[in-house]
Each structure stands twice: as C-alpha cells, then as structure tokens.
Amino acid sequence: MSAEYRSPSEQQRAEARREQILCAAATCFRNHGFHGASIAQISKAAGMSAGHIYHYFDNKEAIIAAIVERDLEYLLTLSAQLRAARDTREAMIEHVTEGVRRSLEPDDAGLKLEVVAEAARNPQVAEIVREADRVCRASLATTLRAIRRADGHDDDDGAIDTMVELLAAMFEGLMIRGIRNPQMDRAAVARRFQATVRQLLTQP
Amino acid sequence: MSAEYRSPSEQQRAEARREQILCAAATCFRNHGFHGASIAQISKAAGMSAGHIYHYFDNKEAIIAAIVERDLEYLLTLSAQLRAARDTREAMIEHVTEGVRRSLEPDDAGLKLEVVAEAARNPQVAEIVREADRVCRASLATTLRAIRRADGHDDDDGAIDTMVELLAAMFEGLMIRGIRNPQMDRAAVARRFQATVRQLLTQP
DNA sequence: GGTTCTAGATTGAACGCTCATTCTATGTTA
DNA sequence: TAACATAGAATGAGCGTTCAATCTAGAACC
C-alpha cells in the first residue's frame, strides 16, 4: 500500500525530467509546429529515448496541453505586481514598453501563435487556452478597475471588460506584427502604444 | 516547339482545377494545420486522386505558398475603396465595425493564424507574407495620409507608419481574441475600436 | 560491509500505419 | 494519332506508440 512513497529527490528528479521534455518540446514545436515536430525529434532534444517520453506523458497531445498550461504565469504575476505599485496607472503605462518588447520576442511569439492556431482547431487545447485567458482577463480587469477608481471613474463591468479586450488585442496583435513586419520601428511603436494606453486609462 | 499552346478553355479548365485544389487545401489546413493536413485528405476534398495534385503543384509547400498569395486582395481593395469615398475619415471609422466582424470570423482567422505561425518558422512562407504585408501597409499608409492631410495635419512618414502598425495590431490581435475569448461582447468591442480609431485619426 | 532483492528508470527494436511523392497504365479529347 | 488528364497502385521513409529487455540505485538482510 505504501509503495507509492517517493523520496523528495525522486520527486524532484521526475519533475526535472518532465521539465526537460517540455523545454525540448517547446523548442521543437516552435521550429516545426505541433504536427511537424516528431517524438523522435523531441526525445533527441531532451536527451532521452523516444519510448521514455511515454513514462511522463500519455501521448503527444498531453505534451501540448502541458506546454499551454505552463504559460499562464507571466500575466498573472505582472498584473499583481502592477496592483502593488504606488501609482498603478503610471506603473502600467511605464510597463507598456516592456510589454511591447515581449510581444515582439520572436521565440515567445512563435510558440504562442502556434498554440492559438492549434486552439482554433483542437477543442481540448482550446479549452485550456480559454480557461487561462479567462483567469488573465479577470486579473487585468481588477487592475484596470483599481486604476479607474483611483482616478474617480466608475465604469460598469462591461466597459472594463471591453478595455481589457482592446488592450489584449493590441499586444497579442503585436506578436503577429513582429512576424509580418520585422523591420518595424519598435521604439516608435512603443511610444504610440504608451500614448494609446494612457488615453484609454484616463478617458472620461 | 509550339506544343505549349493551350486553348482558352483548356487554360480555364486548368485554372479552375488549381482553384479547386486551393479551396480544398485551405479547408484542410484550417481544420488540421499545414503539417496535420495530408495530400490524401486534400485530394479527397478536391475530388481527385492524390497523384493528380502533383500535376498542378510541385509539392505541398507550393500549395501553401499559393494560398498565402491569394489572400492579398482584400485589404488592398478596401483601402482603395476608402480613398474613393467622399469623406475618407468617416468612411474608415464607419468601416471599423465590418473590420471587427471580419477579424472575428473563426474560419478566416484560423487560416490566417495558421499562415502566420508557419511564417514564423518557414522562411519561404515568411517572405511571401512579408511582401504581402509591405504592400498592404503602403496602401493603408496612403489612405491614412490622405485623411490626416484633409484635416490639416502634416505627419512625417514615421508617424504614419506607426499609426498603421497600431491599426494592424488591433485588428490582427482581434483574430487571436476571437479564439481565446469567443464570448466577448462583440458590439461593445466594435464601439470601443471605433472610438480608438477616431481618436487616432483626429489627434493633434 | 557485503550480498541479494526489487522497483522504477531507461533503452531501442518492433509494429502497424500514414505520409509525400513517383510511376505506370488508362481514359479523353481534338 | 498525339498530347494531355486522371487514377490508383507502388515506394520508401518516417510517424506515434508499445513492449520486452536491461540497467541502476537503494532497501533489507546477513
């Protein structure tokens, strides 16, 4: 019965192994797409045999799902950080530059687009993506509401949600822009984004 | 030597056959992704044998390239239409609703995201996509400049280009939003987009 | 401390299948 | 008859997945 016991180091090791596979898979998916990347490629990149991957994941789909789930953290952390700032509004505006830079990072963007494209046709992936998005939106909405309240505005929920959508569309759209037009003037775009976000946050 | 002659009906027929393949391929790519869709599937959807597809396209990559090239038309036509309108600015703002609707169309969005994701890793596709984007940007920039001039603003090229990037990011981002949050309030988002575009066009 | 036992980690070959592509044979049409 | 359209089988490679066989490290016992 107590055969299920795992020493901490064993658990750690298993976790590290899973992480190793996920990192290798992320690279392969980025370079060849979900269906273009083979288990053989992933196992080679992870430094283990193909068969062994199936000790940690049921199948290829499960690897995709795990990768999607990992990506939830960033925006949540950011949103919490902003709320903790002295002047949340200016902290957010300040952070736009970093957000633009991040969206234009080709590796990040490539994998995220791969995930969204997969979500557009794979219901299982779609569900994970949508749940993650729901959590992110809720967090961003809270931050937005705090900013607007501090400035004396009292928006209804719908208005806040719509602001969230516009912000999300702008930064997610930038991932596509970075691929379609890699020569864009990033600094100028960052300034324009900053101005637009400021207008959005301070409008009556 | 003159064996290369084709009667008009022969040419037409061949063109129709190519189109038939491209439509079938677009559907398959949308549903299964570039690498997930097989020639067998495409040939079935196109109502011909797998081997016969190779009479019209060198290989699968060539089909992808042809599909990407077909998609250039829409924005060019739109941009020209707007410029022809009496009040270009109001015509553009008016058209935002339609643009939002289009970006949220799941089939269109799915295929376009598939293409961008492929461009992120396939240099051949990337080149086609970037050239098409360059043409679209130029057209939109001309329209934008006309609007701003009519209102007495004299922006430098960089400012116009940056406006184009912001507009493009918003609408392309909306394709992602439609997948990540299908329940969004589309009408409210359309209004918010309209207001943002108006601000962009009329700002000092 | 040395030996045996054991359970999980790991491998690599094997399986059945599907892939993109090629080839050959047959139909069609002018 | 000549040239092209088309089908469908053939090819060889590679796919995701399974599995029997080994390895390894530590627990249990002497």
Side-chain angles (χ1 to χ4, degrees), chain A:
Chain A
M1 285 291 174
S2 67
E4 285 152 17
Y5 167 81
R6 297 283 144 73
S7 79
S9 71
E10 268 173 335
Q11 278 184 308
Q12 253 174 274
R13 188 181 167 76
E15 196 45 51
R17 223 81 171 96
R18 265 183 69 99
E19 200 59 30
Q20 197 180 348
I21 294 171
L22 289 182
C23 284
T27 304
C28 290
F29 289 156
R30 196 184 302 125
N31 293 336
H32 305 97
F34 279 137
H35 301 285
S38 70
I39 295 287
Q41 283 174 331
I42 295 169
S43 70
K44 194 177 225 172
M48 67 184 68
S49 72
H52 194 41
I53 288 190
Y54 288 85
H55 274 260
Y56 295 96
F57 295 94
D58 280 352
N59 49 40
K60 206 177 163 187
E61 288 257 307
I63 303 180
I64 298 176
I67 284 191
V68 175
E69 273 169 341
R70 275 207 319 178
D71 250 11
L72 180 53
E73 314 299 328
Y74 167 68
L75 199 60
L76 292 185
T77 314
L78 167 63
S79 193
Q81 275 175 359
L82 290 183
R83 278 201 299 279
R86 192 114 48 90
D87 183 342
T88 308
R89 188 206 327 138
E90 291 309 312
M92 186 175 231
I93 292 169
E94 192 63 37
H95 194 87
V96 165
T97 309
E98 165 68 7
V100 168
R101 201 193 53 72
R102 251 191 105 89
S103 290
L104 292 173
E105 204 74 47
D107 279 3
D108 272 32
L111 187 55
K112 270 183 186 145
L113 286 173
E114 190 64 41
V115 170
V116 177
E118 180 68 15
R121 62 181 112 90
N122 181 334
Q124 198 188 319
V125 172
E127 205 184 332
I128 300 171
V129 164
R130 279 164 197 164
E131 174 57 20
D133 193 72
R134 205 188 53 72
V135 174
C136 287
R137 269 183 286 128
S139 171
L140 189 50
T142 306
T143 307
L144 236 51
R145 160 138 288 140
I147 292 174
R148 297 285 293 170
R149 279 247 177 82
D151 287 354
H153 300 291
D154 191 23
D155 313 287
D156 61 36
D157 286 353
I160 294 283
D161 289 349
T162 308
M163 287 186 210
V164 168
E165 283 300 334
L166 174 57
L167 281 174
M170 282 171 58
F171 284 92
E172 288 170 18
L174 212 48
M175 299 192 305
I176 300 182
R177 296 311 308 151
I179 290 166
R180 298 235 258 205
N181 179 20
Q183 273 95 46
M184 100 178 57
D185 181 342
R186 286 151 193 247
V189 167
R191 282 194 300 275
R192 166 108 270 158
F193 264 57
Q194 220 157 23
T196 307
V197 170
R198 183 182 292 279
Q199 253 170 5
L200 185 75
L201 296 182
T202 58
Q203 93 209 308

